[in-house]
Amino acid sequence: ALIITDECINCDVCEPECPNSAISQGEEIYVIDPNLCTECVGHYDEPQCQQVCPVDCIPLDPEHKESKEELQAKYLIISGQA
Ligand code: SF4
Ligand code: SF4
């Protein structure tokens, strides 16, 4: 999963781009639900939120490191295909 850092400027550009609805407005900044973020595996070649974020504040979450296979398995579960 990816994570949004406190450099987020609350621009709301990333939220509608997420194919898994993993991004929402948190108390202070936008947040990513690691249970829903597949790093866009299953949908796109590149993480869409990273592509659009104007301040580049969405790195990999070191607390939620996953292999492509794990991300693919998560995609199948949340999309109802597994
Ligand atoms: Fe959503 Fe993809 Fe960003 Fe994860 S990497 S939060 S799935 S847009
Ligand atoms: Fe925050 Fe970047 Fe999302 Fe804008 S695009 S809300 S700055 S994480």
Coordinates of all heavy atoms in Angstrom, one line a residue:
A1 N 0.8 -1.2 0.0 CA 0.0 0.0 0.0 C 0.9 1.2 0.0 O 2.0 1.2 0.4 CB -0.9 0.0 1.2
L2 N 0.3 2.3 -0.4 CA 1.0 3.6 -0.4 C 0.4 4.4 0.8 O -0.6 4.0 1.4 CB 0.7 4.4 -1.7 CG 1.1 3.8 -3.0 CD1 1.0 4.8 -4.1 CD2 2.4 3.1 -3.0
I3 N 1.1 5.5 1.2 CA 0.7 6.3 2.3 C 0.8 7.8 2.0 O 1.7 8.1 1.2 CB 1.6 5.9 3.6 CG1 1.0 6.6 4.8 CG2 3.0 6.3 3.4 CD1 1.6 6.1 6.1
I4 N -0.1 8.6 2.5 CA 0.0 10.0 2.2 C 0.7 10.7 3.4 O 0.3 10.4 4.6 CB -1.4 10.6 2.1 CG1 -2.1 10.0 0.8 CG2 -1.4 12.1 2.0 CD1 -3.5 10.3 0.6
T5 N 1.7 11.4 3.1 CA 2.5 12.1 4.2 C 1.9 13.4 4.6 O 1.0 13.9 3.9 CB 4.0 12.3 3.8 OG1 4.0 13.4 2.9 CG2 4.6 11.1 3.2
D6 N 2.4 14.0 5.7 CA 1.9 15.3 6.2 C 2.2 16.5 5.3 O 1.9 17.6 5.6 CB 2.2 15.5 7.6 CG 3.8 15.6 7.8 OD1 4.5 15.7 6.8 OD2 4.2 15.6 9.0
E7 N 2.8 16.2 4.1 CA 3.0 17.2 3.2 C 1.8 17.5 2.3 O 1.7 18.4 1.5 CB 4.2 16.9 2.2 CG 5.6 17.0 2.9 CD 6.6 16.3 2.1 OE1 7.2 16.9 1.1 OE2 6.9 15.1 2.4
C8 N 0.8 16.6 2.5 CA -0.5 16.7 1.8 C -1.1 18.1 1.9 O -1.2 18.6 3.1 CB -1.4 15.7 2.3 SG -3.1 15.8 1.6
I9 N -1.5 18.7 0.8 CA -2.1 20.1 0.9 C -3.6 20.0 0.7 O -4.3 21.0 0.5 CB -1.5 21.0 -0.2 CG1 -1.6 20.4 -1.6 CG2 0.0 21.3 0.1 CD1 -1.3 21.4 -2.7
N10 N -4.2 18.8 0.9 CA -5.7 18.7 0.8 C -6.3 19.2 -0.4 O -7.3 19.8 -0.4 CB -6.3 19.4 2.1 CG -6.0 18.6 3.4 OD1 -6.3 17.4 3.5 ND2 -5.5 19.3 4.3
C11 N -5.6 18.9 -1.6 CA -6.2 19.4 -2.8 C -7.3 18.6 -3.4 O -8.0 19.0 -4.3 CB -5.0 19.6 -3.8 SG -4.5 18.0 -4.5
D12 N -7.5 17.4 -2.9 CA -8.6 16.5 -3.3 C -8.4 16.0 -4.8 O -9.4 15.5 -5.3 CB -9.9 17.2 -3.2 CG -11.1 16.3 -3.4 OD1 -11.0 15.1 -2.9 OD2 -12.1 16.7 -4.1
V13 N -7.2 16.1 -5.4 CA -7.1 15.6 -6.7 C -7.0 14.1 -6.8 O -7.4 13.5 -7.7 CB -5.8 16.3 -7.4 CG1 -5.4 15.5 -8.6 CG2 -6.1 17.7 -7.7
C14 N -6.4 13.5 -5.8 CA -6.1 12.0 -5.8 C -7.4 11.2 -5.6 O -7.5 10.1 -6.2 CB -5.1 11.6 -4.8 SG -5.4 12.1 -3.1
E15 N -8.2 11.7 -4.7 CA -9.3 10.9 -4.2 C -10.2 10.3 -5.4 O -10.5 9.1 -5.4 CB -10.2 11.7 -3.2 CG -11.2 10.9 -2.5 CD -12.6 11.0 -3.2 OE1 -12.9 12.0 -3.8 OE2 -13.3 10.0 -3.1
P16 N -10.7 11.1 -6.3 CA -11.5 10.6 -7.4 C -10.7 9.7 -8.4 O -11.4 8.9 -9.1 CB -12.1 11.8 -8.1 CG -11.1 12.9 -7.7 CD -10.6 12.6 -6.4
E17 N -9.4 9.7 -8.3 CA -8.6 8.9 -9.3 C -8.4 7.4 -8.8 O -8.0 6.6 -9.6 CB -7.2 9.5 -9.5 CG -7.2 10.9 -10.1 CD -7.8 10.9 -11.5 OE1 -7.7 9.9 -12.2 OE2 -8.5 11.9 -11.8
C18 N -8.7 7.2 -7.5 CA -8.4 5.8 -7.0 C -9.4 4.8 -7.4 O -10.6 5.0 -7.1 CB -8.3 5.9 -5.5 SG -8.0 4.2 -4.8
P19 N -9.0 3.8 -8.1 CA -10.0 2.8 -8.6 C -10.6 1.9 -7.5 O -11.6 1.2 -7.8 CB -9.1 2.0 -9.6 CG -7.8 2.1 -9.1 CD -7.6 3.5 -8.5
N20 N -10.0 2.0 -6.4 CA -10.4 1.1 -5.2 C -11.1 1.9 -4.2 O -11.4 1.4 -3.1 CB -9.2 0.4 -4.6 CG -8.6 -0.6 -5.6 OD1 -9.3 -1.2 -6.4 ND2 -7.3 -0.7 -5.6
S21 N -11.4 3.2 -4.4 CA -11.9 4.1 -3.4 C -11.2 3.9 -2.0 O -11.8 3.9 -1.0 CB -13.4 3.8 -3.1 OG -14.1 4.0 -4.3
A22 N -9.9 3.9 -2.1 CA -9.1 3.7 -0.9 C -8.7 5.0 -0.3 O -8.2 5.0 0.9 CB -7.8 2.9 -1.3
I23 N -8.9 6.1 -1.0 CA -8.5 7.4 -0.4 C -9.7 8.2 0.1 O -10.8 8.2 -0.6 CB -7.8 8.3 -1.5 CG1 -6.7 7.5 -2.2 CG2 -7.4 9.6 -1.0 CD1 -6.0 8.2 -3.3
S24 N -9.6 8.8 1.3 CA -10.6 9.6 1.8 C -10.0 10.8 2.6 O -8.8 10.8 2.9 CB -11.5 8.8 2.7 OG -10.8 8.3 3.8
Q25 N -10.9 11.8 2.9 CA -10.4 12.9 3.6 C -10.3 12.5 5.1 O -11.4 12.1 5.7 CB -11.4 14.1 3.4 CG -10.8 15.4 3.9 CD -11.7 16.6 3.4 OE1 -12.8 16.4 3.0 NE2 -11.1 17.8 3.5
G26 N -9.2 12.7 5.7 CA -9.0 12.3 7.1 C -9.2 13.6 8.0 O -9.7 14.6 7.5
E27 N -8.8 13.5 9.2 CA -9.0 14.6 10.1 C -8.2 15.9 9.7 O -8.7 17.0 9.7 CB -8.7 14.3 11.5 CG -9.9 13.7 12.3 CD -9.6 13.4 13.7 OE1 -8.8 14.1 14.4 OE2 -10.1 12.3 14.2
E28 N -7.0 15.6 9.3 CA -6.1 16.8 8.9 C -5.7 16.7 7.4 O -5.6 17.7 6.8 CB -4.9 16.9 9.8 CG -5.3 17.3 11.2 CD -4.2 17.5 12.1 OE1 -3.0 17.3 11.7 OE2 -4.4 17.7 13.3
I29 N -5.4 15.5 7.0 CA -5.0 15.3 5.6 C -5.7 14.1 5.0 O -6.4 13.4 5.7 CB -3.4 15.1 5.5 CG1 -3.0 13.9 6.3 CG2 -2.7 16.4 5.8 CD1 -1.6 13.5 6.2
Y30 N -5.5 13.9 3.7 CA -6.1 12.8 3.1 C -5.4 11.5 3.5 O -4.2 11.6 3.8 CB -6.1 12.9 1.5 CG -7.3 13.8 1.0 CD1 -7.3 15.1 1.3 CD2 -8.3 13.2 0.4 CE1 -8.4 15.9 0.9 CE2 -9.4 13.9 0.0 CZ -9.4 15.3 0.2 OH -10.5 16.0 -0.2
V31 N -6.2 10.4 3.6 CA -5.6 9.2 4.0 C -5.9 8.0 3.1 O -6.9 8.1 2.3 CB -6.1 8.8 5.5 CG1 -5.6 9.8 6.5 CG2 -7.6 8.7 5.5
I32 N -5.0 7.0 3.1 CA -5.2 5.8 2.3 C -5.5 4.6 3.2 O -4.8 4.4 4.2 CB -4.0 5.5 1.4 CG1 -3.8 6.6 0.4 CG2 -4.1 4.1 0.8 CD1 -2.5 6.5 -0.4
D33 N -6.6 3.9 2.9 CA -6.9 2.7 3.6 C -6.0 1.5 3.1 O -6.2 1.1 1.9 CB -8.4 2.3 3.5 CG -8.8 1.1 4.3 OD1 -7.8 0.3 4.7 OD2 -10.0 0.8 4.4
P34 N -5.0 1.1 3.8 CA -4.1 0.0 3.3 C -4.8 -1.3 3.0 O -4.3 -2.1 2.2 CB -3.1 -0.2 4.4 CG -3.8 0.3 5.7 CD -4.7 1.4 5.2
N35 N -6.0 -1.5 3.5 CA -6.8 -2.7 3.2 C -7.4 -2.6 1.8 O -7.8 -3.6 1.2 CB -7.9 -2.9 4.2 CG -7.3 -3.2 5.6 OD1 -6.4 -4.0 5.7 ND2 -7.9 -2.6 6.6
L36 N -7.5 -1.4 1.2 CA -8.1 -1.2 -0.1 C -7.1 -0.8 -1.2 O -7.4 -1.0 -2.3 CB -9.2 -0.1 0.0 CG -10.4 -0.5 0.8 CD1 -11.4 0.7 0.9 CD2 -11.1 -1.7 0.3
C37 N -5.9 -0.3 -0.8 CA -4.9 0.1 -1.8 C -4.1 -1.1 -2.3 O -3.5 -1.8 -1.6 CB -3.9 1.1 -1.1 SG -2.6 1.5 -2.3
T38 N -4.3 -1.3 -3.6 CA -3.5 -2.4 -4.3 C -2.3 -1.8 -5.0 O -1.8 -2.5 -5.9 CB -4.4 -3.1 -5.3 OG1 -4.9 -2.2 -6.3 CG2 -5.7 -3.7 -4.6
E39 N -2.0 -0.6 -4.7 CA -1.0 0.1 -5.5 C -1.4 0.2 -7.0 O -0.6 0.2 -7.9 CB 0.4 -0.5 -5.3 CG 0.9 -0.4 -3.9 CD 2.2 -1.1 -3.5 OE1 3.0 -1.4 -4.4 OE2 2.4 -1.4 -2.3
C40 N -2.7 0.1 -7.2 CA -3.3 0.1 -8.5 C -3.2 -1.2 -9.3 O -3.6 -1.3 -10.5 CB -3.0 1.3 -9.3 SG -3.8 2.8 -8.8
V41 N -2.6 -2.2 -8.7 CA -2.5 -3.5 -9.3 C -3.9 -4.0 -9.6 O -4.8 -3.9 -8.8 CB -1.8 -4.5 -8.4 CG1 -2.0 -6.0 -8.9 CG2 -0.3 -4.2 -8.4
G42 N -4.2 -4.5 -10.8 CA -5.5 -5.0 -11.2 C -6.2 -3.9 -12.1 O -7.1 -4.2 -12.8
H43 N -5.7 -2.7 -12.0 CA -6.4 -1.6 -12.7 C -5.4 -0.8 -13.7 O -5.7 -0.6 -14.8 CB -7.0 -0.6 -11.7 CG -8.1 -1.1 -10.9 ND1 -9.4 -1.2 -11.3 CD2 -8.1 -1.6 -9.6 CE1 -10.1 -1.7 -10.4 NE2 -9.4 -1.9 -9.3
Y44 N -4.3 -0.5 -13.1 CA -3.3 0.4 -13.9 C -1.9 -0.1 -13.7 O -1.6 -0.7 -12.7 CB -3.4 1.9 -13.5 CG -4.8 2.5 -13.7 CD1 -5.7 2.6 -12.6 CD2 -5.3 2.9 -14.9 CE1 -6.9 3.2 -12.7 CE2 -6.5 3.4 -15.1 CZ -7.4 3.6 -14.0 OH -8.6 4.1 -14.1
D45 N -1.0 0.3 -14.6 CA 0.4 0.0 -14.5 C 1.1 0.8 -13.4 O 2.1 0.4 -12.8 CB 1.1 0.2 -15.8 CG 0.7 -0.8 -16.8 OD1 0.2 -1.9 -16.4 OD2 0.9 -0.6 -18.0
E46 N 0.6 2.0 -13.2 CA 1.2 2.9 -12.2 C 0.2 3.4 -11.2 O -1.0 3.6 -11.6 CB 1.7 4.2 -13.0 CG 2.8 3.9 -14.0 CD 4.1 3.5 -13.5 OE1 4.4 3.9 -12.3 OE2 4.9 2.9 -14.2
P47 N 0.6 3.6 -10.0 CA -0.3 4.2 -9.0 C -0.9 5.5 -9.4 O -0.1 6.5 -9.6 CB 0.5 4.3 -7.7 CG 1.6 3.3 -7.9 CD 1.9 3.3 -9.4
Q48 N -2.2 5.6 -9.6 CA -2.8 6.8 -10.2 C -2.7 8.0 -9.2 O -2.5 9.1 -9.7 CB -4.3 6.5 -10.5 CG -4.5 5.4 -11.5 CD -3.8 5.8 -12.8 OE1 -4.3 6.7 -13.5 NE2 -2.7 5.1 -13.2
C49 N -2.8 7.8 -7.9 CA -2.7 8.9 -7.0 C -1.3 9.6 -7.1 O -1.2 10.8 -7.1 CB -3.0 8.4 -5.6 SG -2.0 7.1 -5.0
Q50 N -0.3 8.7 -7.2 CA 1.1 9.3 -7.3 C 1.2 10.1 -8.6 O 1.9 11.1 -8.6 CB 2.1 8.2 -7.4 CG 2.6 7.6 -6.1 CD 3.7 6.6 -6.2 OE1 3.8 6.0 -7.3 NE2 4.4 6.3 -5.2
Q51 N 0.5 9.7 -9.7 CA 0.6 10.4 -11.0 C 0.1 11.8 -10.9 O 0.5 12.7 -11.6 CB -0.1 9.6 -12.0 CG 0.3 8.2 -12.3 CD 1.6 8.1 -13.0 OE1 1.7 8.7 -14.1 NE2 2.6 7.4 -12.5
V52 N -1.0 12.0 -10.1 CA -1.7 13.2 -10.1 C -1.3 14.2 -8.9 O -1.6 15.4 -8.9 CB -3.2 13.1 -10.1 CG1 -3.7 12.3 -11.4 CG2 -3.7 12.3 -8.9
C53 N -0.7 13.6 -7.9 CA -0.4 14.5 -6.7 C 0.5 15.6 -7.0 O 1.7 15.3 -7.4 CB 0.1 13.6 -5.5 SG 0.5 14.6 -4.1
P54 N 0.1 16.8 -6.8 CA 1.0 18.0 -7.2 C 2.2 18.2 -6.3 O 3.2 18.9 -6.7 CB 0.0 19.2 -7.1 CG -1.0 18.8 -6.1 CD -1.2 17.3 -6.3
V55 N 2.2 17.6 -5.1 CA 3.3 17.8 -4.2 C 4.1 16.5 -3.9 O 5.0 16.5 -3.0 CB 2.9 18.5 -2.9 CG1 2.3 19.9 -3.1 CG2 1.8 17.6 -2.1
D56 N 3.7 15.4 -4.7 CA 4.6 14.2 -4.6 C 4.6 13.7 -3.1 O 5.7 13.3 -2.7 CB 6.0 14.6 -5.0 CG 6.4 13.6 -6.1 OD1 5.7 12.6 -6.4 OD2 7.5 13.8 -6.7
C57 N 3.5 13.6 -2.5 CA 3.6 13.2 -1.0 C 2.9 11.8 -0.8 O 2.4 11.6 0.3 CB 2.9 14.2 -0.2 SG 1.1 14.3 -0.4
I58 N 3.0 10.9 -1.8 CA 2.4 9.6 -1.6 C 3.4 8.5 -1.9 O 3.4 7.8 -3.0 CB 1.2 9.4 -2.6 CG1 0.3 10.7 -2.6 CG2 0.3 8.2 -2.1 CD1 -0.9 10.6 -3.5
P59 N 4.3 8.2 -0.9 CA 5.3 7.1 -1.1 C 4.8 5.8 -0.7 O 3.6 5.6 -0.3 CB 6.4 7.5 -0.1 CG 5.7 8.2 1.0 CD 4.5 8.9 0.3
L60 N 5.6 4.7 -0.9 CA 5.2 3.4 -0.4 C 5.2 3.5 1.1 O 6.0 4.1 1.7 CB 6.3 2.4 -0.9 CG 6.2 1.8 -2.3 CD1 7.5 1.0 -2.6 CD2 5.0 0.8 -2.3
D61 N 4.2 2.7 1.6 CA 4.1 2.7 3.1 C 5.0 1.6 3.6 O 4.7 0.4 3.4 CB 2.6 2.3 3.4 CG 2.3 2.3 4.9 OD1 3.3 2.4 5.7 OD2 1.1 2.2 5.3
P62 N 6.0 2.0 4.4 CA 7.0 0.9 4.9 C 6.3 0.0 5.8 O 6.8 -1.2 6.0 CB 8.0 1.8 5.6 CG 7.5 3.1 5.8 CD 6.4 3.3 4.8
E63 N 5.2 0.3 6.4 CA 4.4 -0.5 7.3 C 3.6 -1.6 6.6 O 3.1 -2.5 7.2 CB 3.5 0.3 8.2 CG 4.2 1.4 9.1 CD 5.0 0.8 10.2 OE1 4.4 -0.1 10.9 OE2 6.1 1.1 10.5
H64 N 3.4 -1.3 5.3 CA 2.5 -2.2 4.5 C 3.2 -2.6 3.2 O 2.7 -2.2 2.1 CB 1.1 -1.6 4.3 CG 0.3 -1.4 5.5 ND1 0.3 -0.2 6.2 CD2 -0.4 -2.3 6.2 CE1 -0.5 -0.3 7.2 NE2 -1.0 -1.6 7.3
K65 N 4.3 -3.3 3.3 CA 5.0 -3.7 2.1 C 4.4 -5.0 1.6 O 4.2 -5.9 2.3 CB 6.5 -4.0 2.4 CG 7.3 -2.7 2.6 CD 8.8 -3.1 2.7 CE 9.7 -1.9 2.9 NZ 11.0 -2.2 3.4
E66 N 4.1 -5.0 0.3 CA 3.5 -6.2 -0.3 C 4.1 -6.5 -1.7 O 4.5 -5.6 -2.4 CB 2.0 -5.9 -0.5 CG 1.2 -5.7 0.8 CD 0.1 -4.6 0.6 OE1 0.4 -3.5 0.5 OE2 -1.1 -5.0 0.7
S67 N 4.1 -7.8 -2.0 CA 4.6 -8.2 -3.3 C 3.5 -8.0 -4.3 O 2.3 -7.8 -4.0 CB 4.9 -9.7 -3.3 OG 3.8 -10.5 -3.1
K68 N 3.9 -8.0 -5.6 CA 2.8 -7.9 -6.7 C 1.8 -9.0 -6.5 O 0.6 -8.8 -6.8 CB 3.5 -8.1 -8.0 CG 4.3 -6.8 -8.5 CD 3.4 -5.8 -9.1 CE 4.1 -4.5 -9.6 NZ 4.0 -3.4 -8.8
E69 N 2.2 -10.2 -6.1 CA 1.3 -11.3 -5.9 C 0.3 -11.0 -4.8 O -0.9 -11.3 -5.0 CB 2.0 -12.6 -5.7 CG 2.8 -13.2 -6.8 CD 4.1 -12.4 -7.2 OE1 4.6 -11.7 -6.3 OE2 4.5 -12.4 -8.3
E70 N 0.8 -10.5 -3.7 CA -0.1 -10.1 -2.6 C -1.1 -9.0 -3.0 O -2.3 -9.1 -2.7 CB 0.7 -9.7 -1.4 CG 1.4 -10.8 -0.7 CD 2.4 -10.4 0.3 OE1 3.2 -9.4 0.1 OE2 2.5 -11.0 1.4
L71 N -0.6 -8.1 -3.8 CA -1.4 -7.0 -4.2 C -2.5 -7.5 -5.2 O -3.7 -7.1 -5.1 CB -0.6 -5.9 -4.9 CG 0.3 -5.1 -4.0 CD1 1.4 -4.3 -4.7 CD2 -0.5 -4.2 -3.0
Q72 N -2.1 -8.4 -6.1 CA -3.1 -9.0 -7.0 C -4.1 -9.8 -6.3 O -5.3 -9.7 -6.6 CB -2.3 -9.9 -8.0 CG -3.2 -10.7 -9.0 CD -3.8 -9.8 -10.1 OE1 -3.3 -8.7 -10.3 NE2 -4.9 -10.3 -10.7
A73 N -3.7 -10.5 -5.2 CA -4.7 -11.3 -4.4 C -5.7 -10.4 -3.7 O -6.9 -10.6 -3.6 CB -3.9 -12.2 -3.4
K74 N -5.2 -9.2 -3.2 CA -6.0 -8.2 -2.6 C -7.0 -7.7 -3.6 O -8.2 -7.5 -3.3 CB -5.2 -7.1 -2.0 CG -6.0 -6.2 -1.1 CD -5.2 -4.9 -0.8 CE -4.0 -5.0 0.0 NZ -3.3 -3.7 0.4
Y75 N -6.5 -7.4 -4.8 CA -7.4 -6.9 -5.8 C -8.6 -7.9 -6.1 O -9.7 -7.5 -6.2 CB -6.6 -6.6 -7.1 CG -7.5 -6.5 -8.4 CD1 -8.3 -5.5 -8.5 CD2 -7.5 -7.6 -9.3 CE1 -9.1 -5.4 -9.7 CE2 -8.3 -7.5 -10.4 CZ -9.1 -6.4 -10.6 OH -9.9 -6.4 -11.7
L76 N -8.2 -9.1 -6.2 CA -9.3 -10.1 -6.5 C -10.3 -10.2 -5.4 O -11.5 -10.4 -5.6 CB -8.6 -11.5 -6.7 CG -7.8 -11.6 -8.0 CD1 -7.1 -13.0 -8.1 CD2 -8.7 -11.4 -9.3
I77 N -9.8 -10.1 -4.1 CA -10.8 -10.1 -3.0 C -11.7 -8.9 -3.0 O -12.9 -9.0 -2.9 CB -10.0 -10.3 -1.7 CG1 -9.4 -11.6 -1.6 CG2 -10.9 -10.0 -0.5 CD1 -8.3 -11.8 -0.5
I78 N -11.1 -7.7 -3.1 CA -11.9 -6.5 -3.0 C -12.8 -6.3 -4.2 O -13.8 -5.6 -4.1 CB -11.1 -5.2 -2.6 CG1 -10.2 -4.9 -3.7 CG2 -10.4 -5.4 -1.3 CD1 -9.3 -3.6 -3.3
S79 N -12.5 -6.9 -5.3 CA -13.3 -6.7 -6.5 C -14.3 -7.9 -6.6 O -15.0 -8.0 -7.6 CB -12.5 -6.6 -7.8 OG -11.7 -7.8 -8.0
G80 N -14.3 -8.8 -5.6 CA -15.3 -9.8 -5.6 C -15.0 -11.0 -6.5 O -15.9 -11.7 -6.9
Q81 N -13.8 -11.1 -6.9 CA -13.4 -12.2 -7.9 C -12.7 -13.4 -7.2 O -12.3 -14.3 -7.9 CB -12.5 -11.6 -9.0 CG -13.2 -10.5 -9.8 CD -12.3 -10.0 -10.8 OE1 -11.8 -10.6 -11.7 NE2 -11.9 -8.7 -10.7
A82 N -12.6 -13.3 -5.9 CA -12.0 -14.4 -5.2 C -12.7 -14.7 -3.9 O -13.6 -13.9 -3.5 CB -10.5 -14.0 -4.8
Ligands
SF4_1 FE1 -5.7 4.1 -4.8 FE2 -3.9 3.2 -6.6 FE3 -3.3 5.2 -5.0 FE4 -3.6 2.8 -3.9 S1 -2.0 3.4 -5.4 S2 -4.5 4.7 -3.1 S3 -5.2 1.9 -5.2 S4 -4.9 5.2 -6.6
SF4_2 FE1 -3.0 15.4 -0.7 FE2 -1.6 14.8 -2.9 FE3 -4.0 13.8 -2.5 FE4 -3.7 16.4 -3.0 S1 -3.2 14.7 -4.4 S2 -5.1 15.5 -1.5 S3 -1.8 16.8 -1.9 S4 -2.2 13.4 -1.3

